[in-house]
Amino acid sequence: MRRLVNSFFHRLYHYRYRLIRSYMENPHRIQQAQLQELLLFAADTEWGKSHFFHDIRNPEDFRQAIALTDYEDLKPFIARMMLGERDVLWPGQINWYSKSSGTTNDKSKFIPVTPQSLYKCHMRGSWDTMTLYYHSRPQASQFADKSMVMGGSLSRFDPFPKTIVGDVSAIMIQHMPWVARPFFIPDFETALLANWEEKLEKLALAGARTPNVVMIGGVPTWTVVLFRRILELTGKSNMLEVWPKFQVYTHGGVSFTPYRHQFQSFFPSPAVDYQEIYNASEGFFAVQDKLDEEGLLLLLNNGIYYEFIPMSEWEQSNPKALSLAEVEVGKNYALVISTNSGLWRYLPGDTVIFTSVQPYRIKVSGRTKQFVNAFGEEVMVDNTDKALAEACLLSGAEVREYTVAPVYFQGNAQGGHQWIIEFVKEPLDLQAFTRLLDLNLQRINSDYEAKRFRDLAMLPLSIQVVPNGTFHNWLRAKGKLGGQHKVPRLSNHRNFIEEILAQVGA
C-alpha cells in the first residue's frame, strides 16, 4: 500500500514540476501577474485604499506609490489585526501569526499568516520542495516510509484568544493535510510541545525507535543536538546505523556550510542528499533544485512579488530597488517582498546573491544587520561561513556555534575582529587554526584582505574558545531556546559578544 501511495505522489509531483518549469521559462510575465493579483486582492483594504491600489498599473507606479517598509512601519497595523480588525493590510480577519524574534532584536515580530500565504506560499513551497527532490531523485520514497518533523509551538494571543501565534513551522504542522500525517513522526502533540528541551528528548526517543526514517527537516543547529542524543540513546556510531534507509536532510534557517562535515559524519554515505530551502516567517522564497550545485530556485508563483536593493544603496535615505529583470549574477542585494500575507515592499532583512538568472537562482549571503564593517572590510556571513568551513576541513576541527564582532581602536592600538567559537572538536593547534582562518577570510573577501595588508589597518583576528553549551545557555537566558531562534553570526557592535563573555567570565 505504501509503495502505491508513493507511486501516486511521484505522478503528482511530475505534474507539479511542469508548472514549475513554466515560471522558470517565463519569470517576468509570472512576476508581473503576481503583482497585479496582489494589488487586485488587497485594493479595498485600508492599506490598498490609502495607497490607491486601483490606480497602479505597473511596477514603476507601485514603487512610486509605496515607500519601502520594515516591521516597525507595519507594526501598528499588525497590532490592530491581531486584535480582530478586518481588512487592514489584507482582506478579512487574520487569526494566525508567525512569531519571529530574529537574532538581533529582543522584541518579537508577528507576521500575518493569511489563508493565501499559508496554502499558496508556505504549504505550496513545501510541496515544491518535494517536487524538486523527486524530480532529481526518482527513487525517492518519502511516502513509502517515515519523515521526521521538528516544529515550534503555538499559543493564543492573550488580549484576543481568536488570534494564534507561533513559529511558522508549527503553523504548517497544525495545517498539514490529513493525507500526509501518517508518514511523519512524532505525533503532532509532541511536535508542537512548547518546552523545547522536553520536545527534543521525545523527538530523540521517537527517532531511536523508528528505523525507517528517510527524511528530516530542520535548522542544522538543533538537528545536530537531536542526532547526538539519538546516538547516545541507541549506542550507535552514526545515524545510518539508526536509519539505514535515510535519503535526504532538508535544511534552512542558517548556512549549512559550517555543519556539512558534521552531517557527513552522521551519514557517512554519498547516497545521502542535502537539500536547502529558504522558508522564513515572511514567506517560502526558494528551494535547491539541483542537489549537486549551489543556488536555490527562486519560487516566483507563490504569492510574492520580489524587488532587490543593491548593496551600494543600502545606506541611502531613499534606496532604489531593482526588479527581477535588472539583477546581476554575483552581486549582493537586500531582499524586498510584497506578499499575500499583507506585507508591502517589506524588508525582511536578508541579503542574497544571484548564482544564475536563467533560471533565477539565489543563495542567502547574510543579513542587512549581520555584517562587520568597522574598518571598511564589509564582511558578510557568507564570507565567515566559508572561511571557517575551510579551516575546519584542513585542521580536522568541528564547530558547533560561533559569533564575530569588531574590536574597535583604543588609543593608538589597532582594531580587528574577535571570534567566539564553541567547538565540537577543537583544533590541535589553536594558533595555527587562527592564522588559517584569517588567511581564508582574506582570500574570500578582498576588502578584508586590503585592510589586513601588513597589519596596517587591522590586526589579525583573535579567537576566544568557550565551553560546551555556552551559546545554548545564552539563548536560554534570553528566552530564545529552540525553534527558529538562531545565534547571530556577525554584529557590527559588541553587545552580544560582551554578554557571552560575561556569561563565561572571560
Side-chain angles (χ1 to χ4, degrees):
M1 177 60 72
R2 285 180 175 271
R3 286 195 294 270
L4 287 174
V5 172
N6 197 60
S7 177
F8 166 77
F9 277 102
H10 263 289
R11 292 194 294 272
L12 180 67
Y13 291 143
H14 178 73
Y15 170 75
R16 176 62 194 163
Y17 185 75
R18 289 192 297 175
L19 300 178
I20 294 174
R21 287 291 307 178
S22 70
Y23 69 68
M24 291 171 67
E25 294 168 357
N26 303 282
H28 309 305
R29 179 176 60 81
I30 294 295
Q31 273 288 279
Q32 177 73 20
Q34 290 292 289
L35 176 59
Q36 293 303 321
E37 183 176 313
L38 291 171
L39 293 170
L40 180 64
F41 210 87
D44 293 324
T45 63
E46 178 183 325
W47 184 273
K49 290 176 181 177
S50 66
H51 291 85
F52 305 102
F53 277 13
H54 282 297
D55 297 329
I56 295 174
R57 296 288 179 264
N58 53 55
E60 183 57 35
D61 289 347
F62 185 58
R63 286 194 289 267
Q64 294 294 327
I66 304 175
L68 295 169
T69 65
D70 59 18
Y71 186 74
E72 292 303 312
D73 296 319
L74 298 184
K75 183 178 177 179
F77 300 93
I78 294 173
R80 290 164 47 206
M81 293 166 66
M82 294 180 73
L83 292 173
E85 285 199 41
R86 303 174 61 89
D87 305 328
V88 181
L89 293 173
W90 194 256
Q93 184 180 93
I94 311 304
N95 295 326
W96 294 83
Y97 293 81
S98 175
K99 183 179 180 180
S100 171
S101 63
T103 54
T104 60
N105 194 323
D106 288 335
K107 298 177 182 178
S108 294
K109 296 187 293 185
F110 297 95
I111 305 299
V113 180
T114 68
Q116 292 78 11
S117 67
L118 176 61
Y119 292 106
K120 294 185 177 182
C121 183
H122 291 290
M123 301 294 275
R124 180 181 287 179
S126 294
W127 286 112
D128 287 348
T129 300
M130 296 310 305
T131 296
L132 293 167
Y133 183 68
Y134 270 62
H135 180 75
S136 297
R137 299 290 185 266
Q139 76 280 10
S141 61
Q142 269 57 52
F143 290 93
D145 292 289
K146 293 285 189 178
S147 297
M148 176 174 272
V149 291
M150 295 179 67
S153 60
L154 300 170
S155 63
R156 294 194 178 274
F157 186 53
D158 187 33
F160 192 75
K162 285 186 178 181
T163 293
I164 301 174
V165 302
D167 293 344
V168 69
S169 59
I171 296 173
M172 292 173 69
I173 290 171
Q174 182 69 30
H175 290 87
M176 184 181 291
W178 65 267
V179 68
R181 294 189 179 208
F183 302 96
F184 287 87
I185 63 166
D187 62 273
F188 282 19
E189 181 181 353
T190 298
L192 296 174
L193 278 173
N195 186 311
W196 180 254
E197 290 170 307
E198 179 187 359
K199 173 158 57 184
L200 200 62
E201 183 66 16
K202 290 188 174 183
L203 283 167
L205 288 168
R209 295 168 182 164
T210 312
N212 62 326
V213 173
V214 292
M215 184 189 78
I216 185 172
V219 177
T221 316
W222 297 111
T223 310
V224 167
V225 177
L226 173 67
F227 285 170
R228 293 190 182 281
R229 181 57 181 148
I230 291 175
L231 294 178
E232 286 178 5
L233 291 170
T234 60
K236 303 296 186 182
S237 60
N238 65 67
M239 287 302 299
L240 278 180
E241 294 179 1
V242 184
W243 298 336
K245 300 170 70 175
F246 191 80
Q247 295 178 352
V248 59
Y249 170 51
T250 303
H251 58 89
V254 298
S255 170
F256 191 56
T257 303
Y259 298 97
R260 184 175 293 276
H261 183 67
Q262 292 181 59
F263 275 83
Q264 289 171 343
S265 297
F266 286 131
F267 298 104
S269 168
V272 172
D273 292 313
Y274 303 94
Q275 184 182 27
E276 185 175 359
I277 63 172
Y278 182 11
N279 185 22
S281 298
E282 297 86 355
F284 205 128
F285 302 133
V287 177
Q288 187 176 8
D289 63 318
K290 291 186 175 296
L291 301 178
D292 54 350
E293 294 182 12
E294 186 179 49
L296 284 68
L297 182 69
L298 195 61
L299 302 179
L300 301 176
N301 194 32
N302 62 353
I304 300 176
Y305 177 71
Y306 296 97
E307 297 173 84
F308 306 89
I309 302 176
M311 191 173 184
S312 60
E313 294 279 321
W314 291 357
E315 301 299 324
Q316 303 300 317
S317 58
N318 186 28
K320 179 185 177 182
L322 306 179
S323 68
L324 188 65
E326 298 172 286
V327 300
E328 299 177 41
V329 170
K331 292 189 175 182
N332 261 303
Y333 297 97
L335 189 65
V336 181
I337 54 173
S338 298
T339 77
N340 52 11
S341 63
L343 303 179
W344 300 104
R345 303 202 74 212
Y346 181 86
L347 289 151
D350 292 334
T351 63
V352 300
I353 294 174
F354 281 86
T355 62
S356 165
V357 293
Q358 291 181 336
Y360 286 98
R361 294 191 181 98
I362 61 171
K363 64 176 180 178
V364 181
S365 56
R367 300 275 296 171
T368 54
K369 293 183 179 179
Q370 282 199 51
F371 60 89
V372 183
N373 192 30
F375 315 103
E377 66 273 39
E378 296 186 355
V379 171
M380 305 290 292
V381 175
D382 185 55
N383 304 152
T384 55
D385 279 344
K386 286 181 178 178
L388 188 59
E390 291 175 11
C392 286
L393 185 64
L394 292 173
S395 66
E398 292 184 12
V399 169
R400 179 174 286 113
E401 293 285 3
Y402 80 93
T403 192
V404 184
V407 178
Y408 291 104
F409 296 124
Q410 293 182 353
N412 294 325
Q414 293 166 282
H417 290 178
Q418 183 178 24
W419 291 57
I420 294 183
I421 300 180
E422 182 181 323
F423 286 99
V424 175
K425 179 182 177 183
E426 290 192 31
L428 295 176
D429 186 336
L430 183 61
Q431 287 187 340
F433 181 87
T434 303
R435 289 193 297 271
L436 179 60
L437 180 58
D438 191 74
L439 289 171
N440 285 344
L441 193 54
Q442 290 184 54
R443 179 175 50 79
I444 291 167
N445 184 311
S446 59
D447 290 313
Y448 181 79
E449 181 184 36
K451 301 304 180 295
R452 284 280 299 109
F453 180 69
R454 294 182 179 177
D455 298 349
L456 293 176
M458 291 176 63
L459 293 174
L461 64 85
S462 64
I463 295 176
Q464 172 75 49
V465 179
V466 293
N468 181 33
T470 294
F471 285 94
H472 185 97
N473 294 333
W474 180 66
L475 287 171
R476 182 194 288 114
K478 295 176 76 67
K480 294 186 176 185
L481 190 63
Q484 302 294 312
H485 303 305
K486 302 176 283 289
V487 171
R489 294 302 189 210
L490 306 183
S491 307
N492 209 36
H493 56 75
R494 292 189 57 80
N495 298 350
F496 301 140
I497 215 166
E498 294 294 349
E499 289 177 5
I500 296 167
L501 291 172
Q503 176 179 291
V504 298

